[in-house]
Amino acid sequence: MDKLQSKYNAYLSEAVSRVGNEYYKIKTTYGEIVRERVFCYEFYHQLRLLQKRFSLDELSLSAEIDKRGHQEIRTSEQRNPDLIFHKYGEFESNEIIIEVKGKNDHRGIRKDFETLNIYMKNYRYRFAYFILYNYSCADFFETFQESFDTEKRRELIENENITIICKKNYNSKCEIFKLNELHS
C-alpha cells in the first residue's frame, strides 16, 4: 500500500471512529432504526474537523452532489455518491469517492459498488472507499459474495484502489482491507 492510501485509510478510519454511538442506530418512539444520512452528516462533520490535520485542506469535501444536468457525465451514470474529495471544476483532481451503508443489503451494496466502479473508471477518481457500519468485514464478505455473480466480483476485485472499512459498532475497531484482497 502506498503512502497516500495509508494516509487516507488513517484519516477515514479515525473519522468513522469519532462518529458517536447515537448515530449507528437512531432511537425513535418505536425502537431503533438505521439512518444512513444521519450517520453520514456526522461522519462529514468529523472529516471536516480532521481535514487540516491530515493535510487534505487543498481538496474540497462534498456530500451528495447532484449530478443531474452535468454536461460531461452520461445521464445513465448520473449518481450522487455519499461523499467525494475533489477540486471543483476539474476531473484531474478527483481524488476520493465514498459510499456509506448502515444496512448490509444486497441491493444497496450492488448500487454503491456500481457507483464506485463508474466514477473510478469514467471520471478519474483515484481511490474508492466503501464504509459499512453496524457490520463486520465477515458480514460484508458474505453479502458481497451473494450480491454479484462471479464475473462482476472479479471485475470489482481487480480494481486495486477500492478499500473497505467496516465498523461493527461504536466500541469496535475499524476493520480495513482492500477489495482486491478478497478471492473471487
Side-chain angles (χ1 to χ4, degrees), residues 103-122:
K103 295 179 181 177
N104 196 19
D105 70 285
H106 301 289
R107 194 177 97 237
I109 285 178
R110 270 194 305 273
K111 180 188 140 305
D112 284 355
F113 274 91
E114 287 169 6
T115 300
L116 294 175
N117 202 32
I118 286 169
Y119 279 74
M120 287 193 77
K121 277 183 166 182
N122 300 338

PDB file of all heavy atoms in Angstrom, residues 103-122:
ATOM      1  N   LYS A 103     -26.812  -0.662   6.465  1.00  0.00           N
ATOM      2  CA  LYS A 103     -27.524  -1.943   6.342  1.00  0.00           C
ATOM      3  C   LYS A 103     -26.743  -2.792   5.347  1.00  0.00           C
ATOM      4  O   LYS A 103     -26.302  -2.304   4.310  1.00  0.00           O
ATOM      5  CB  LYS A 103     -28.955  -1.726   5.836  1.00  0.00           C
ATOM      6  CG  LYS A 103     -29.823  -0.952   6.796  1.00  0.00           C
ATOM      7  CD  LYS A 103     -31.212  -0.749   6.234  1.00  0.00           C
ATOM      8  CE  LYS A 103     -32.063   0.059   7.199  1.00  0.00           C
ATOM      9  NZ  LYS A 103     -33.391   0.342   6.659  1.00  0.00           N
ATOM     10  N   ASN A 104     -26.633  -4.045   5.652  1.00  0.00           N
ATOM     11  CA  ASN A 104     -25.845  -4.973   4.834  1.00  0.00           C
ATOM     12  C   ASN A 104     -26.766  -5.681   3.836  1.00  0.00           C
ATOM     13  O   ASN A 104     -26.966  -6.881   3.901  1.00  0.00           O
ATOM     14  CB  ASN A 104     -25.152  -5.979   5.764  1.00  0.00           C
ATOM     15  CG  ASN A 104     -24.021  -6.719   5.081  1.00  0.00           C
ATOM     16  OD1 ASN A 104     -23.511  -6.284   4.065  1.00  0.00           O
ATOM     17  ND2 ASN A 104     -23.637  -7.842   5.655  1.00  0.00           N
ATOM     18  N   ASP A 105     -27.354  -4.901   2.929  1.00  0.00           N
ATOM     19  CA  ASP A 105     -28.325  -5.481   1.997  1.00  0.00           C
ATOM     20  C   ASP A 105     -27.767  -5.554   0.577  1.00  0.00           C
ATOM     21  O   ASP A 105     -26.968  -4.722   0.167  1.00  0.00           O
ATOM     22  CB  ASP A 105     -29.636  -4.684   2.026  1.00  0.00           C
ATOM     23  CG  ASP A 105     -29.495  -3.306   1.416  1.00  0.00           C
ATOM     24  OD1 ASP A 105     -28.899  -2.426   2.072  1.00  0.00           O
ATOM     25  OD2 ASP A 105     -29.970  -3.113   0.287  1.00  0.00           O
ATOM     26  N   HIS A 106     -28.193  -6.581  -0.143  1.00  0.00           N
ATOM     27  CA  HIS A 106     -27.686  -6.850  -1.494  1.00  0.00           C
ATOM     28  C   HIS A 106     -27.927  -5.687  -2.459  1.00  0.00           C
ATOM     29  O   HIS A 106     -27.021  -5.277  -3.167  1.00  0.00           O
ATOM     30  CB  HIS A 106     -28.330  -8.114  -2.071  1.00  0.00           C
ATOM     31  CG  HIS A 106     -28.085  -9.336  -1.259  1.00  0.00           C
ATOM     32  ND1 HIS A 106     -26.862  -9.942  -1.193  1.00  0.00           N
ATOM     33  CD2 HIS A 106     -28.906 -10.048  -0.450  1.00  0.00           C
ATOM     34  CE1 HIS A 106     -26.928 -10.985  -0.391  1.00  0.00           C
ATOM     35  NE2 HIS A 106     -28.155 -11.072   0.084  1.00  0.00           N
ATOM     36  N   ARG A 107     -29.145  -5.186  -2.498  1.00  0.00           N
ATOM     37  CA  ARG A 107     -29.486  -4.129  -3.455  1.00  0.00           C
ATOM     38  C   ARG A 107     -28.653  -2.869  -3.211  1.00  0.00           C
ATOM     39  O   ARG A 107     -28.105  -2.279  -4.140  1.00  0.00           O
ATOM     40  CB  ARG A 107     -30.989  -3.811  -3.379  1.00  0.00           C
ATOM     41  CG  ARG A 107     -31.462  -2.988  -4.570  1.00  0.00           C
ATOM     42  CD  ARG A 107     -32.958  -2.734  -4.530  1.00  0.00           C
ATOM     43  NE  ARG A 107     -33.149  -1.417  -3.957  1.00  0.00           N
ATOM     44  CZ  ARG A 107     -33.879  -1.148  -2.880  1.00  0.00           C
ATOM     45  NH1 ARG A 107     -34.537  -2.080  -2.253  1.00  0.00           N
ATOM     46  NH2 ARG A 107     -33.974   0.078  -2.427  1.00  0.00           N
ATOM     47  N   GLY A 108     -28.540  -2.462  -1.961  1.00  0.00           N
ATOM     48  CA  GLY A 108     -27.767  -1.271  -1.626  1.00  0.00           C
ATOM     49  C   GLY A 108     -26.289  -1.434  -1.936  1.00  0.00           C
ATOM     50  O   GLY A 108     -25.649  -0.514  -2.452  1.00  0.00           O
ATOM     51  N   ILE A 109     -25.743  -2.585  -1.635  1.00  0.00           N
ATOM     52  CA  ILE A 109     -24.325  -2.835  -1.912  1.00  0.00           C
ATOM     53  C   ILE A 109     -24.069  -2.857  -3.412  1.00  0.00           C
ATOM     54  O   ILE A 109     -23.097  -2.277  -3.889  1.00  0.00           O
ATOM     55  CB  ILE A 109     -23.853  -4.124  -1.210  1.00  0.00           C
ATOM     56  CG1 ILE A 109     -23.704  -3.832   0.286  1.00  0.00           C
ATOM     57  CG2 ILE A 109     -22.549  -4.644  -1.792  1.00  0.00           C
ATOM     58  CD1 ILE A 109     -23.301  -5.011   1.127  1.00  0.00           C
ATOM     59  N   ARG A 110     -24.946  -3.496  -4.175  1.00  0.00           N
ATOM     60  CA  ARG A 110     -24.791  -3.506  -5.647  1.00  0.00           C
ATOM     61  C   ARG A 110     -24.792  -2.088  -6.192  1.00  0.00           C
ATOM     62  O   ARG A 110     -23.930  -1.710  -6.988  1.00  0.00           O
ATOM     63  CB  ARG A 110     -25.905  -4.327  -6.298  1.00  0.00           C
ATOM     64  CG  ARG A 110     -25.580  -5.783  -6.477  1.00  0.00           C
ATOM     65  CD  ARG A 110     -26.549  -6.484  -7.425  1.00  0.00           C
ATOM     66  NE  ARG A 110     -27.932  -6.344  -7.050  1.00  0.00           N
ATOM     67  CZ  ARG A 110     -28.581  -7.147  -6.210  1.00  0.00           C
ATOM     68  NH1 ARG A 110     -27.967  -8.157  -5.652  1.00  0.00           N
ATOM     69  NH2 ARG A 110     -29.846  -6.948  -5.933  1.00  0.00           N
ATOM     70  N   LYS A 111     -25.761  -1.292  -5.770  1.00  0.00           N
ATOM     71  CA  LYS A 111     -25.873   0.090  -6.245  1.00  0.00           C
ATOM     72  C   LYS A 111     -24.616   0.889  -5.890  1.00  0.00           C
ATOM     73  O   LYS A 111     -24.061   1.599  -6.730  1.00  0.00           O
ATOM     74  CB  LYS A 111     -27.105   0.759  -5.641  1.00  0.00           C
ATOM     75  CG  LYS A 111     -27.326   2.192  -6.063  1.00  0.00           C
ATOM     76  CD  LYS A 111     -28.462   2.796  -5.251  1.00  0.00           C
ATOM     77  CE  LYS A 111     -28.233   4.197  -4.819  1.00  0.00           C
ATOM     78  NZ  LYS A 111     -27.063   4.551  -4.088  1.00  0.00           N
ATOM     79  N   ASP A 112     -24.154   0.759  -4.663  1.00  0.00           N
ATOM     80  CA  ASP A 112     -22.975   1.522  -4.233  1.00  0.00           C
ATOM     81  C   ASP A 112     -21.720   1.103  -4.989  1.00  0.00           C
ATOM     82  O   ASP A 112     -20.921   1.953  -5.391  1.00  0.00           O
ATOM     83  CB  ASP A 112     -22.759   1.377  -2.727  1.00  0.00           C
ATOM     84  CG  ASP A 112     -23.730   2.221  -1.916  1.00  0.00           C
ATOM     85  OD1 ASP A 112     -24.507   2.996  -2.518  1.00  0.00           O
ATOM     86  OD2 ASP A 112     -23.706   2.112  -0.684  1.00  0.00           O
ATOM     87  N   PHE A 113     -21.536  -0.181  -5.203  1.00  0.00           N
ATOM     88  CA  PHE A 113     -20.349  -0.627  -5.936  1.00  0.00           C
ATOM     89  C   PHE A 113     -20.423  -0.266  -7.409  1.00  0.00           C
ATOM     90  O   PHE A 113     -19.401   0.005  -8.039  1.00  0.00           O
ATOM     91  CB  PHE A 113     -20.083  -2.119  -5.719  1.00  0.00           C
ATOM     92  CG  PHE A 113     -19.276  -2.361  -4.484  1.00  0.00           C
ATOM     93  CD1 PHE A 113     -19.895  -2.586  -3.276  1.00  0.00           C
ATOM     94  CD2 PHE A 113     -17.893  -2.298  -4.521  1.00  0.00           C
ATOM     95  CE1 PHE A 113     -19.165  -2.769  -2.123  1.00  0.00           C
ATOM     96  CE2 PHE A 113     -17.142  -2.481  -3.378  1.00  0.00           C
ATOM     97  CZ  PHE A 113     -17.780  -2.718  -2.169  1.00  0.00           C
ATOM     98  N   GLU A 114     -21.622  -0.236  -7.972  1.00  0.00           N
ATOM     99  CA  GLU A 114     -21.768   0.246  -9.353  1.00  0.00           C
ATOM    100  C   GLU A 114     -21.345   1.715  -9.430  1.00  0.00           C
ATOM    101  O   GLU A 114     -20.645   2.115 -10.357  1.00  0.00           O
ATOM    102  CB  GLU A 114     -23.212   0.069  -9.829  1.00  0.00           C
ATOM    103  CG  GLU A 114     -23.577  -1.366 -10.107  1.00  0.00           C
ATOM    104  CD  GLU A 114     -25.078  -1.572 -10.329  1.00  0.00           C
ATOM    105  OE1 GLU A 114     -25.837  -0.571 -10.385  1.00  0.00           O
ATOM    106  OE2 GLU A 114     -25.488  -2.733 -10.434  1.00  0.00           O
ATOM    107  N   THR A 115     -21.766   2.506  -8.454  1.00  0.00           N
ATOM    108  CA  THR A 115     -21.384   3.921  -8.418  1.00  0.00           C
ATOM    109  C   THR A 115     -19.876   4.070  -8.290  1.00  0.00           C
ATOM    110  O   THR A 115     -19.256   4.835  -9.044  1.00  0.00           O
ATOM    111  CB  THR A 115     -22.099   4.645  -7.257  1.00  0.00           C
ATOM    112  OG1 THR A 115     -23.510   4.542  -7.455  1.00  0.00           O
ATOM    113  CG2 THR A 115     -21.698   6.106  -7.177  1.00  0.00           C
ATOM    114  N   LEU A 116     -19.266   3.364  -7.347  1.00  0.00           N
ATOM    115  CA  LEU A 116     -17.808   3.440  -7.178  1.00  0.00           C
ATOM    116  C   LEU A 116     -17.092   3.063  -8.470  1.00  0.00           C
ATOM    117  O   LEU A 116     -16.162   3.748  -8.908  1.00  0.00           O
ATOM    118  CB  LEU A 116     -17.352   2.522  -6.041  1.00  0.00           C
ATOM    119  CG  LEU A 116     -17.814   2.874  -4.628  1.00  0.00           C
ATOM    120  CD1 LEU A 116     -17.384   1.794  -3.640  1.00  0.00           C
ATOM    121  CD2 LEU A 116     -17.302   4.234  -4.197  1.00  0.00           C
ATOM    122  N   ASN A 117     -17.535   1.982  -9.082  1.00  0.00           N
ATOM    123  CA  ASN A 117     -16.905   1.485 -10.304  1.00  0.00           C
ATOM    124  C   ASN A 117     -17.030   2.484 -11.456  1.00  0.00           C
ATOM    125  O   ASN A 117     -16.055   2.787 -12.146  1.00  0.00           O
ATOM    126  CB  ASN A 117     -17.527   0.138 -10.678  1.00  0.00           C
ATOM    127  CG  ASN A 117     -16.648  -0.686 -11.570  1.00  0.00           C
ATOM    128  OD1 ASN A 117     -15.419  -0.635 -11.499  1.00  0.00           O
ATOM    129  ND2 ASN A 117     -17.269  -1.468 -12.425  1.00  0.00           N
ATOM    130  N   ILE A 118     -18.206   3.026 -11.658  1.00  0.00           N
ATOM    131  CA  ILE A 118     -18.445   4.002 -12.737  1.00  0.00           C
ATOM    132  C   ILE A 118     -17.564   5.237 -12.545  1.00  0.00           C
ATOM    133  O   ILE A 118     -16.905   5.705 -13.474  1.00  0.00           O
ATOM    134  CB  ILE A 118     -19.937   4.410 -12.794  1.00  0.00           C
ATOM    135  CG1 ILE A 118     -20.772   3.273 -13.384  1.00  0.00           C
ATOM    136  CG2 ILE A 118     -20.130   5.700 -13.594  1.00  0.00           C
ATOM    137  CD1 ILE A 118     -22.279   3.486 -13.226  1.00  0.00           C
ATOM    138  N   TYR A 119     -17.549   5.775 -11.336  1.00  0.00           N
ATOM    139  CA  TYR A 119     -16.818   7.019 -11.107  1.00  0.00           C
ATOM    140  C   TYR A 119     -15.299   6.822 -11.146  1.00  0.00           C
ATOM    141  O   TYR A 119     -14.574   7.720 -11.556  1.00  0.00           O
ATOM    142  CB  TYR A 119     -17.289   7.692  -9.810  1.00  0.00           C
ATOM    143  CG  TYR A 119     -18.566   8.459 -10.056  1.00  0.00           C
ATOM    144  CD1 TYR A 119     -19.782   7.803 -10.229  1.00  0.00           C
ATOM    145  CD2 TYR A 119     -18.558   9.836 -10.174  1.00  0.00           C
ATOM    146  CE1 TYR A 119     -20.939   8.497 -10.500  1.00  0.00           C
ATOM    147  CE2 TYR A 119     -19.713  10.543 -10.440  1.00  0.00           C
ATOM    148  CZ  TYR A 119     -20.907   9.866 -10.610  1.00  0.00           C
ATOM    149  OH  TYR A 119     -22.056  10.567 -10.891  1.00  0.00           O
ATOM    150  N   MET A 120     -14.847   5.644 -10.773  1.00  0.00           N
ATOM    151  CA  MET A 120     -13.402   5.384 -10.885  1.00  0.00           C
ATOM    152  C   MET A 120     -13.001   5.182 -12.347  1.00  0.00           C
ATOM    153  O   MET A 120     -12.007   5.728 -12.804  1.00  0.00           O
ATOM    154  CB  MET A 120     -13.003   4.173 -10.052  1.00  0.00           C
ATOM    155  CG  MET A 120     -13.015   4.503  -8.561  1.00  0.00           C
ATOM    156  SD  MET A 120     -12.209   3.266  -7.591  1.00  0.00           S
ATOM    157  CE  MET A 120     -10.505   3.656  -7.915  1.00  0.00           C
ATOM    158  N   LYS A 121     -13.785   4.409 -13.071  1.00  0.00           N
ATOM    159  CA  LYS A 121     -13.447   4.102 -14.469  1.00  0.00           C
ATOM    160  C   LYS A 121     -13.609   5.307 -15.393  1.00  0.00           C
ATOM    161  O   LYS A 121     -12.764   5.562 -16.235  1.00  0.00           O
ATOM    162  CB  LYS A 121     -14.356   2.980 -15.001  1.00  0.00           C
ATOM    163  CG  LYS A 121     -13.913   1.603 -14.668  1.00  0.00           C
ATOM    164  CD  LYS A 121     -14.880   0.630 -15.323  1.00  0.00           C
ATOM    165  CE  LYS A 121     -14.339  -0.762 -15.332  1.00  0.00           C
ATOM    166  NZ  LYS A 121     -15.262  -1.679 -15.999  1.00  0.00           N
ATOM    167  N   ASN A 122     -14.704   6.018 -15.241  1.00  0.00           N
ATOM    168  CA  ASN A 122     -15.066   7.036 -16.230  1.00  0.00           C
ATOM    169  C   ASN A 122     -14.782   8.477 -15.822  1.00  0.00           C
ATOM    170  O   ASN A 122     -14.738   9.351 -16.678  1.00  0.00           O
ATOM    171  CB  ASN A 122     -16.539   6.903 -16.592  1.00  0.00           C
ATOM    172  CG  ASN A 122     -16.858   5.541 -17.181  1.00  0.00           C
ATOM    173  OD1 ASN A 122     -15.979   4.853 -17.691  1.00  0.00           O
ATOM    174  ND2 ASN A 122     -18.097   5.138 -17.092  1.00  0.00           N
TER     175      ASN A 122
END
